[in-house]
Amino acid sequence: MKDVTRIAIVGAGVWGETHGAIFCEHPGAELVAICDRDINRAQALAHRCGIGKAYGSVDEMLAADGFDAVSIVTPDHLHADIAVDCANAGKHLLIEKPIATTVADVHRIVDAVRANGVRAMVDLHNRWSPPFAQAKAEIEAGALGGLRSAYIRLNDTKWVATDMLPWAADSSILWFLGSHSLDTLQWLFGDVVTRVYCASNRGVLDSLGVDTDDVFLSTLEFQNGGIAHMENGWITPNANPCVNDIKCTLTGEKGMVSIDASHHNLIQLFTDHGATVPDILVRNKIHGRVKGFAYESIRSFVDKLQSNEPFIVSIEEAARTSIAILAIMESAKTRSPVAVEYGDL
């Protein structure tokens, strides 16, 4: 790679702005273009980032060229065509999770990355979370022995589906949070899920005008005999002190780890209007600079391009996560166990 990696962002929403802030801070990155189908939004973000190039289509951006990598920060279901077109143009890829939302699109992206010899990473940022990274270190050191079972809960408040994401009805909590949960479990187990069983329900968000399932409870069987239970929903009351409700227990042959990443108890804020737990772990600012583990994954993408080291999340791992999520969705519909088929991943 060059001394500085020139990067374009596709998707000028809230998280696209986050990517822009990190690339502008990173000494090894140069943010050179913003693309969004809403050209006014692309131009506004480009102005805030201090760059002059804004585009209303990916085709227009690729025709102009002048960059080495693309950060894809669009809604879930819009990743595939953008990723394939950019890979075919020889651009390295950072893709917000999930990699894609259909089996065909997952394989299309992986095939395009392999065929064009580009590098790709999916932003499954829970691997950078301090408690989970410490748990992984303890597992690798043998403190727990072989993992036998796990439980992970990653839920959001209703506000995420009703207000934060205008495209929530086109997605699922399994894509929005389940991707993180499943990737975390496969990473911690060092294994792949081979069979799933899931039950789901809906009605709360329907009543609020958002056409999507409320909660999924999934049982996962791993290739080497481990089992796990995964809970993902977005109907936690809005008065919950944290947007995220995240807990995890890992049990091995010799020990266990218990994680509560929602209520870190390092700081609480109380006013006449309520109580909150300010976010100091996931995404915050210190002295004007973006911090938190959800940002470190984006920085790591640039770091690994610069050093030519493997990404912390491989494209195959991210692809297997999406394939397993799709099997969970099928199981939720049929109320039957579903075997997970990965093909050549």
Side-chain angles (χ1 to χ4, degrees):
M1 291 297 297
K2 301 176 181 179
D3 292 339
V4 175
T5 301
R6 299 167 301 169
I7 301 176
I9 294 173
V10 180
V14 172
W15 208 242
E17 186 150 358
T18 296
H19 282 234
I22 293 166
F23 296 142
C24 287
E25 284 185 5
H26 199 298
E30 180 186 0
L31 181 61
V32 298
I34 306 291
C35 177
D36 194 286
R37 56 187 180 185
D38 181 341
I39 185 62
N40 292 325
R41 190 162 68 167
Q43 290 170 341
L45 180 54
H47 177 74
R48 290 194 295 275
C49 292
I51 61 175
K53 294 182 180 179
Y55 302 97
S57 74
V58 173
D59 288 344
E60 181 186 4
M61 182 185 75
L62 289 172
D65 205 348
F67 54 94
D68 311 301
V70 179
S71 186
I72 300 173
V73 202
T74 64
D76 313 330
H77 57 289
L78 301 178
H79 292 174
D81 288 344
I82 299 168
V84 170
D85 288 347
C86 290
N88 287 340
K91 308 304 179 185
H92 304 296
L93 304 174
L94 174 59
I95 307 171
E96 272 302 325
K97 56 77 196 169
I99 183 172
T101 58
T102 71
V103 172
D105 282 346
V106 168
H107 285 285
R108 279 206 301 138
I109 294 173
V110 173
D111 289 346
V113 167
R114 290 172 174 173
N116 291 284
V118 297
R119 302 187 62 196
M121 175 184 141
V122 176
D123 187 16
L124 290 157
H125 55 231
N126 209 44
R127 296 193 187 198
W128 283 261
S129 172
F132 286 96
Q134 183 63 39
K136 178 66 171 178
E138 298 295 345
I139 292 166
E140 291 183 336
L144 276 64
L147 282 190
R148 303 307 300 155
S149 69
Y151 166 75
I152 191 167
R153 178 165 99 214
L154 180 51
N155 296 326
D156 266 343
T157 59
K158 297 170 187 170
W159 169 83
V160 172
T162 60
D163 293 83
M164 177 182 166
L165 298 181
W167 41 270
D170 294 319
S171 185
S172 164
I173 192 61
L174 280 177
W175 293 128
F176 194 63
L177 293 184
S179 296
H180 289 305
S181 303
L182 187 54
D183 174 71
T184 300
L185 288 172
Q186 294 196 122
W187 176 58
L188 292 171
F189 273 83
D191 201 358
V192 296
V193 172
T194 55
R195 190 167 67 159
V196 301
Y197 174 74
C198 181
S200 64
N201 62 23
R202 62 184 300 153
V204 175
L205 290 172
D206 284 334
S207 71
L208 296 173
V210 184
D211 180 18
T212 190
D213 292 280
D214 293 336
V215 180
F216 291 84
L217 293 177
S218 308
T219 299
L220 315 174
E221 297 181 32
F222 287 85
Q223 182 171 275
N224 293 327
I227 55 176
H229 197 59
M230 189 172 86
E231 175 185 340
N232 300 114
W234 41 11
I235 57 168
T236 301
N238 288 335
N240 196 57
C242 291
V243 172
N244 300 127
D245 172 25
I246 177 167
K247 313 230 176 7
C248 181
T249 301
L250 307 161
T251 305
E253 299 159 337
K254 300 192 298 182
M256 66 179 286
V257 166
S258 182
I259 296 171
D260 182 346
S262 302
H263 302 291
H264 46 69
N265 290 323
L266 292 170
I267 179 173
Q268 301 91 38
L269 175 64
F270 304 96
T271 71
D272 290 335
H273 304 289
T276 58
V277 179
D279 177 17
I280 61 171
L281 294 176
V282 184
R283 47 190 297 249
N284 65 326
K285 286 189 176 182
I286 299 176
H287 307 306
R289 296 179 67 85
V290 288
K291 300 294 181 183
F293 72 79
Y295 300 141
E296 293 308 316
S297 54
I298 301 168
R299 288 192 180 96
S300 180
F301 170 72
V302 180
D303 292 340
K304 299 305 184 183
L305 279 182
Q306 293 281 301
S307 67
N308 207 32
E309 296 173 287
F311 292 127
I312 302 297
V313 182
S314 74
I315 190 73
E316 289 80 13
E317 289 173 317
R320 287 193 289 267
T321 291
S322 281
I323 296 294
I325 291 290
L326 286 161
I328 290 171
M329 289 178 168
E330 180 182 348
S331 178
K333 290 179 181 178
T334 63
R335 291 301 197 263
S336 301
V338 173
V340 186
E341 303 292 342
Y342 294 109
D344 64 350
L345 298 173

